Amino acid sequence: VGCSAEGGGRGECGRGRATVAQRSGVFRRPFYGWYIVGGALVAQFVAVGTQTYSSTVFLKPMTQDLGWTRSEFSAVQTVSTVVMGLVGVGIAALIATSQVHNLWEFYLARGVAQTVGNAMLGNLVVNVTVSKWFIARRGMAVAIASSGVSLGGVLMTPVVSWVAGTWGWREAWVF
């Protein structure tokens, strides 16, 4: 029994035979691969939105509140990039970042822990996972899942900015 070429209830690999109702189109179980695509889109949205796009929202309030310079705040991106390259635990890191009081805590929570978590949700992981679920619609599935990256930039930054302005930067990290 091989895999069929499309989703929509017909893309399961060796998971039993279709019933008469399924073949006639009366009942079609949703293809599980599309749930994977949806989860991948959300993962990309959160990972890229928090790691890359929305961090600038926190520059002014955190540097003023904690007495850091802009270069000290921005240098965490260097730590983040190095860790991302070496590793390739997101929610706990966001909560930890909301509790920082010292520069070293910020570097540990945002530069290391958040980056490790986001690397586990990154493009390589998402693209490989989604690709394994699709044959004929693979390109479309990967494109939809990857759109989370752009949505992270378009939607995450204004929302995080609004939350930080309304409730403060600590609450925005947890949001």
Side-chain angles (χ1 to χ4, degrees), residues 146-161:
S146 297
S147 69
V149 172
S150 298
L151 288 173
V154 171
L155 300 176
M156 183 72 79
T157 304
V159 170
V160 169
S161 181

Side-chain angles (χ1 to χ4, degrees), residues 4-144:
S4 68
E6 343 209 334
R10 299 177 304 275
E12 297 141 38
C13 298
R15 294 194 181 115
R17 299 199 184 276
T19 65
V20 173
Q22 288 173 322
R23 280 192 300 254
S24 67
V26 174
F27 171 75
R28 234 186 245 189
R29 191 174 66 191
F31 178 53
Y32 192 76
W34 292 113
Y35 293 109
I36 300 295
V37 170
L41 186 145
V42 171
Q44 294 276 55
F45 172 78
V46 171
V48 176
T50 59
Q51 185 71 17
T52 305
Y53 295 117
S54 65
S55 62
T56 57
V57 170
F58 298 99
L59 177 70
K60 190 173 182 181
M62 286 183 73
T63 55
Q64 288 176 348
D65 191 35
L66 300 170
W68 301 340
T69 65
R70 287 175 180 252
S71 62
E72 289 173 329
F73 177 90
S74 300
V76 75
Q77 190 62 38
T78 302
V79 173
S80 179
T81 302
V82 169
V83 170
M84 184 81 78
L86 294 174
V87 176
V89 185
I91 299 300
L94 293 174
I95 293 169
T97 305
S98 75
Q99 302 301 313
V100 299
H101 295 284
N102 296 302
L103 189 59
W104 71 268
E105 294 170 331
F106 181 58
Y107 278 60
L108 183 63
R110 167 96 171 44
V112 178
Q114 185 181 347
T115 302
V116 169
N118 289 342
M120 292 179 195
L121 301 173
N123 282 334
L124 180 61
V125 174
V126 166
N127 291 345
V128 169
T129 303
V130 169
S131 292
K132 291 189 179 284
W133 278 89
F134 292 86
I135 297 170
R137 296 182 180 174
R138 184 176 292 159
M140 182 171 64
V142 170
I144 291 170

Side-chain angles (χ1 to χ4, degrees), residues 58 98 163-164 167-175:
F58 298 99
S98 75
V163 171
W167 290 298
W169 66 266
R170 292 185 187 276
E171 288 74 14
W173 274 115
V174 178
F175 172 77

